Amino acid sequence: AQSVTQPDIHITVSEGASLELRCNYSYGATPYLFWYVQSPGQGLQLLLKYFSGDTLVQGIKGFEAEFKRSQSSFNLRKPSVHWSDAAEYFCAVVPYSGNTPLVFGKGTRLSVIA
Amino acid sequence: DTAVSQTPKYLVTQMGNDKSIKCEQNLGHDTMYWYKQDSKKFLKIMFSYNNKELIINETVPNRFSPKSPDKAHLNLHINSLELGDSAVYFCASSHLAGLNTGELFFGEGSRLTVL
């Protein structure tokens, strides 16, 4: 079945440490890929997106993500996490078929400790 | 200026009641959405309107009725509320291209609690 999978429900990292959040998708063709962030009590904000081209994409707040076609993955990374990065992170796709709504993974909650 | 605003932010009500959530966007977008986020944070599309016309209607009970008086507003009315309707409802907007590009702008959510 077509899906977006975020295998980690909850991750805790120390402030200043590096971060990688995993996302895998299973669609026949490469969909459009996104990462959204939801801070506590807030709506979702787009961090970055991948449509085509360079497989390493830069986003806001110092985040980047790398598309790996061979692994059907689009992992989110940040070299040095700040306490304000504590939030829920959602990977999402728009299937290539188009005119279909954004489909979200189940999210990964990031906790940051001092 | 809030780009996508929803009211109310919190709503507590009894089973069987009817309630509405309002959404307005001042971004000039022509497409608006309602998403439901359950207690496990899973987000699922409910409806999408483009220029007041319904374009996406996922499998949602017909107790839920969206209404778009103009392209800047998309309201959600829920009849005969049930316990399982308790969730956070997010409104979002985009240009029509956003339906394909996935670039949505979300409101802060409306937390509905049904007792």
Side-chain angles (χ1 to χ4, degrees):
Chain A
Q2 298 180 330
S3 66
V4 183
T5 303
Q6 293 180 247
D8 303 305
I9 295 173
H10 184 202
I11 284 183
T12 300
V13 301
S14 298
E15 192 169 15
S18 63
L19 170 70
E20 182 169 30
L21 302 182
R22 296 182 290 164
C23 174
N24 294 93
Y25 64 90
S26 58
Y27 287 88
T30 300
Y32 295 160
L33 298 157
F34 308 83
W35 277 97
Y36 276 81
V37 61
Q38 183 182 19
S39 298
Q42 301 294 312
L44 282 80
Q45 181 183 23
L46 179 63
L47 277 178
L48 46 77
K49 58 185 184 259
Y50 173 78
F51 293 164
S52 64
D54 192 347
T55 56
L56 185 63
V57 293
Q58 303 297 321
I60 62 172
K61 305 185 181 189
F63 285 92
E64 65 179 27
E66 186 171 14
F67 167 60
K68 292 185 177 179
R69 185 188 305 275
S70 60
Q71 298 175 19
S72 296
S73 69
F74 188 57
N75 294 348
L76 181 72
R77 301 196 294 246
K78 187 168 184 178
S80 177
V81 167
H82 188 262
W83 65 266
S84 61
D85 294 324
E88 193 86 22
Y89 291 81
F90 292 93
C91 183
V93 308
V94 171
Y96 186 69
S97 56
N99 272 349
T100 52
L102 201 57
V103 176
F104 287 91
K106 294 192 174 181
T108 297
R109 183 159 63 95
L110 174 66
S111 297
V112 181
I113 57 176
Chain B
D1 263 355
T2 304
V4 181
S5 58
Q6 302 178 223
T7 54
K9 194 165 183 176
Y10 299 96
L11 186 54
V12 181
T13 189
Q14 300 284 335
M15 270 175 49
N17 284 350
D18 304 337
K19 291 294 177 187
S20 292
I21 306 171
K22 296 186 176 182
C23 179
E24 176 182 5
Q25 54 94 5
N26 62 7
L27 297 168
H29 291 158
D30 42 28
T31 306
M32 296 184 72
Y33 311 78
W34 279 110
Y35 276 83
K36 179 180 179 181
Q37 186 177 48
D38 64 22
S39 58
K40 295 186 177 177
K41 299 273 186 174
F42 183 54
L43 275 154
K44 194 172 188 312
I45 183 80
M46 299 174 70
F47 302 102
S48 178
Y49 270 73
N50 175 251
N51 246 335
K52 304 191 295 178
E53 184 180 334
L54 182 67
I55 55 173
I56 293 173
N57 184 355
E58 294 293 300
T59 309
V60 175
N62 57 16
R63 297 182 295 104
F64 290 78
S65 52
K67 281 189 173 51
S68 182
D70 56 62
K71 72 175 191 178
H73 295 83
L74 180 61
N75 303 324
L76 182 66
H77 187 75
I78 315 171
N79 289 326
S80 304
L81 278 157
E82 301 178 357
L83 293 176
D85 298 332
S86 296
V88 181
Y89 293 85
F90 284 98
C91 177
S93 73
S94 72
H95 293 295
L96 179 58
L99 194 59
N100 290 325
T101 66
E103 294 173 274
L104 273 57
F105 292 78
F106 283 82
E108 293 187 346
S110 297
R111 181 177 293 277
L112 171 65
T113 303
V114 183
L115 303 176

